[in-house]
């Protein structure tokens, strides 16, 4: 059965009620809060503008970018985990989709990426970061980079070459830094 493209997307007409209680929350508990924040900063439209022609397709590139972000938010580390989320209405709401695509569909979409389209997403990420730093109007900013050391033999794009104290004779170690949960703003 062929589905119409318009039936793949979902319009969100009202906010979900949020209650704070003493119950333990899963990673799904924050999906609605993150979705509201993305709506507040207009992330969907900004992704669409940044991706240009890659924002097309049946599901739409901006929806699929939100899908990948949503996978990270709920703790999924592989695209195969989409099989477990296929019938999750809260996850579909986060992505703005009425139907979650299969992992093969997402893989085929990711294969279309070029250095140019990936660079556009990196520029958008930097733009969002700089806007937030300007809004905070801080006197001082401390960034704590949690560097992960991976021995790759120099094959990873955008990795920084550095010195690994655990392997002092090997000066060709790739350090992939990320500003994550350990990042502190003072």
């Amino acid at each position: 059965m062929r589905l119409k493209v318009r039936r793949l997307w979902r319009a969100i007409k009202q906010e979900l009620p949020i209650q704070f209680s003493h119950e333990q929350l899963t990673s799904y508990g924050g999906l609605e809060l993150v979705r509201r924040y993305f709506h507040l900063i207009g992330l969907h439209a900004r992704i669409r503008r940044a991706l240009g022609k890659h924002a097309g397709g049946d599901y739409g590139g901006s929806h699929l970018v939100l899908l990948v972000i949503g996978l990270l938010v709920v703790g999924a580390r592989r695209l195969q985990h989409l099989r477990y989320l296929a019938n999750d209405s809260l996850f579909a709401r986060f992505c703005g989709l009425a139907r979650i695509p299969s992992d093969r569909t997402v893989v085929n979409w990711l294969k279309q990426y070029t250095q140019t389209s990936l660079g556009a997403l990196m520029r958008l990420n930097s733009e969002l970061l700089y806007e937030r730093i300007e809004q905070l109007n801080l006197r001082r900013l401390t960034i704590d980079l949690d560097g992960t050391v991976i021995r790759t033999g120099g094959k990873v794009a955008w990795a920084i070459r550095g010195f690994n104290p655990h392997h002092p004779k090997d000066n060709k170690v790739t350090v992939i830094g990320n500003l994550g949960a350990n990042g502190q703003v003072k």
Side-chain angles (χ1 to χ4, degrees):
M1 177 176 93
R2 176 89 173 126
L3 296 173
K4 294 184 179 185
V5 173
R6 301 296 298 171
R7 297 206 50 199
L8 296 176
W9 300 345
R10 172 177 288 162
I12 298 172
K13 297 181 181 172
Q14 66 182 32
E15 302 291 344
L16 288 177
I18 296 176
Q19 296 177 3
F20 293 97
S21 65
H22 297 289
E23 298 171 4
Q24 297 280 336
L25 288 179
T26 65
S27 53
Y28 293 87
L31 274 179
E32 179 63 15
L33 293 174
V34 174
R35 188 201 63 78
R36 287 183 188 184
Y37 176 70
F38 287 171
H39 178 72
L40 185 69
I41 64 172
L43 185 62
H44 183 71
R46 292 173 86 164
I47 292 171
R48 213 171 328 122
R49 279 193 306 271
L51 286 179
K53 67 176 183 167
H54 290 285
D58 289 349
Y59 287 94
S62 55
H63 291 290
L64 293 177
V65 168
L66 291 175
L67 181 135
V68 172
I69 293 171
L71 283 173
L72 296 173
V73 169
V74 300
R77 295 295 178 248
R78 298 179 184 273
L79 289 176
Q80 296 165 340
H81 294 154
L82 279 173
R83 296 175 188 161
Y84 301 108
L85 298 167
N87 297 320
D88 190 315
S89 58
L90 187 60
F91 186 76
R93 177 184 171 90
F94 174 81
C95 303
L97 296 170
R99 177 184 169 141
I100 301 295
S102 69
D103 55 344
R104 293 303 323 153
T105 301
V106 178
V107 166
N108 290 335
W109 171 74
L110 288 171
K111 285 181 181 178
Q112 297 175 4
Y113 268 82
T114 62
Q115 294 293 333
T116 306
S117 54
L118 194 53
L121 284 178
M122 290 173 60
R123 281 189 299 279
L124 176 60
N125 185 40
S126 297
E127 181 181 306
L128 291 168
L129 176 67
Y130 296 147
E131 284 177 10
R132 186 64 187 145
I133 289 172
E134 284 180 10
Q135 286 176 354
L136 291 172
N137 197 17
L138 302 171
R139 288 183 27 209
R140 186 173 77 186
L141 177 69
T142 303
I143 300 174
D144 179 15
L145 293 176
D146 179 17
T148 305
V149 177
I150 301 172
R151 301 180 76 177
T152 62
K155 304 275 187 218
V156 178
W158 300 300
I160 302 166
R161 304 222 185 280
F163 175 74
N164 185 354
H166 303 290
H167 299 276
K169 293 182 181 176
D170 185 8
N171 62 358
K172 299 234 182 209
V173 173
T174 304
V175 179
I176 301 173
N178 59 22
L179 179 61
N182 294 343
Q184 295 179 355
V185 178
K186 293 182 180 180

